[in-house]
Amino acid sequence: MPSTTVSLDDVVLEAAAHLYVWALKDIPQDLRDALAAARQRETSVTGIRVLETISRNVAIAHEQQNLVCQDTGIAVYYCRVGEHFPLHPARIYAALEAGTRQATVEHPLRSNTVHTLTRESTGPNVGYRVPIVHWDFVPDWDGLDVKCVPKGSGSENMTFLKMLVPADGVAGIKRFVLESIVTAGGKPCPPGIVGIGIGGSADYAMHLAKEAIARPIGSRNTDPVVARLEDELYGLLNETGIGPMGLGGDVTVLQCHIEHADTHMTLNPVAVNYQCWAARRASAHVAADGTVDFDREA
Ligand code: SF4
């Protein structure tokens, strides 16, 4: 319903608070389907047991309206802002920060944020430059899309960047991705989504890898050359035998997503970011009149 009394700042704040908690409790259907399919194709007894435990965990979280994992992560938001959306990005950021704070205090959620050197708590999942917000600006539009992707530390710690040289080619990219996932082993709570960013610059490749993990599972890059590499790496990574929780098995990753950018002729950056089985995400579409549509699957 359009709001006549609530400011757009408050609408975005409440949407952010809802998204953060919702994402932590109710994982998207495509992730549920991918976990169920993984259970069907897993042949290792231990792997099956792990996947059945994950499935029971998701069901109990649903029944008891509780979190699918205790790690409430770091709050990451992806915003697509229409050029005619009436709230300036500075105020959108303030609303996302206040919504994250509100959700953490009111639920209550575990607070994870600390000063990176002193390790002292900086507040209810907020701090200097936290939450982390990525921006896209859309011409000829007056809406706002917000996607919340809480990111657990177990998987975030398994992040890798390498500045390959062009002569390393696609073979070098594949080798580095395989080395990264084998190095990660069971630490990022597999099976999850491997996000890969290729091209651009060092920082942009990492940004792209992060974007890749937030896509619906099994979606494919629109560039057929990149999509073929997604298919190939998905197959290769599942031949590593790492298996669910690193205890051995057929299913090491649920999917492999790649985002790419064109790059300098002497660059070949590759970034790998892992998203654990609890690949949480939830979205809201905010209209200029304050109407909000929530979307768990976007
Ligand atoms: S990596 Fe994911 S599943 Fe593992 S503890 Fe962290 S949030 Fe939970």
Side-chain angles (χ1 to χ4, degrees):
M1 288 286 292
S3 168
T4 51
T5 54
V6 181
S7 73
L8 208 46
D9 304 62
D10 286 339
V11 168
V12 176
L13 184 160
E14 294 295 339
H18 179 72
L19 285 177
Y20 189 23
V21 174
W22 191 32
L24 292 170
K25 289 182 171 178
D26 187 11
I27 59 173
Q29 190 58 46
D30 60 309
L31 176 57
R32 291 167 191 258
D33 294 344
L35 287 165
R39 161 66 188 86
Q40 290 312 311
R41 66 175 192 276
E42 181 57 66
T43 57
S44 126
V45 173
T46 313
I48 289 171
R49 200 169 296 149
V50 168
L51 289 165
E52 288 181 344
T53 304
I54 288 173
S55 155
R56 202 156 66 245
N57 178 41
V58 171
I60 291 171
H62 181 76
E63 281 160 29
Q64 301 185 358
Q65 282 293 292
N66 214 331
L67 312 184
V68 294
C69 181
Q70 94 293 338
D71 185 356
T72 51
I74 201 158
V76 179
Y77 296 94
Y78 292 84
C79 289
R80 293 179 68 249
V81 191
E83 69 166 319
H84 302 303
F85 188 68
L87 206 58
H88 188 276
R91 286 174 60 193
I92 296 173
Y93 186 89
L96 296 175
E97 198 260 13
T100 306
R101 182 187 292 273
Q102 177 177 300
T104 304
V105 171
E106 286 184 356
H107 189 274
L109 301 171
R110 188 181 88 181
S111 187
N112 305 310
T113 45
V114 296
H115 184 285
T116 199
L117 291 181
T118 67
R119 313 308 289 181
E120 284 172 12
S121 171
T122 53
N125 282 321
V126 294
Y128 179 56
R129 294 179 168 162
V130 180
I132 293 165
V133 182
H134 300 281
W135 304 96
D136 264 331
F137 298 99
V138 185
D140 301 323
W141 188 47
D142 64 357
L144 166 70
D145 288 341
V146 183
K147 183 188 284 191
C148 178
V149 183
K151 192 66 170 65
S153 63
S155 58
E156 188 69 3
N157 275 327
M158 294 298 103
T159 301
F160 307 88
L161 172 72
K162 188 155 187 179
M163 302 306 283
L164 297 172
V165 296
D168 291 323
V170 179
I173 294 173
K174 287 192 252 184
R175 195 177 314 115
F176 177 63
V177 173
L178 270 166
E179 281 168 6
S180 300
I181 297 309
V182 169
T183 301
K187 292 188 194 124
C189 296
I193 303 168
V194 176
I196 300 163
I198 50 179
S201 54
D203 58 326
Y204 201 57
M206 189 55 76
H207 168 75
L208 292 172
K210 203 64 171 287
E211 227 175 52
I213 58 133
R215 276 174 24 200
I217 296 190
S219 55
R220 283 288 171 254
N221 192 295
T222 51
D223 182 326
V225 177
V226 180
R228 270 201 299 281
L229 186 58
E230 289 178 322
D231 286 336
E232 196 181 343
L233 279 169
Y234 171 62
L236 285 172
L237 293 171
N238 277 318
E239 284 176 22
T240 57
I242 293 166
M245 291 295 164
L247 297 173
D250 309 301
V251 184
T252 297
V253 301
L254 295 176
Q255 256 310 335
C256 175
H257 296 161
I258 303 175
E259 289 292 323
H260 71 293
D262 295 337
T263 190
H264 189 289
M265 60 183 167
T266 62
L267 284 176
N268 189 9
V270 188
V272 178
N273 185 247
Y274 204 105
Q275 177 63 300
C276 56
W277 71 262
R280 302 159 294 189
R281 65 176 207 275
S283 297
H285 311 287
V286 184
D289 67 358
T291 307
V292 183
D293 286 319
F294 289 102
D295 184 349
R296 196 184 57 161
E297 312 301 326

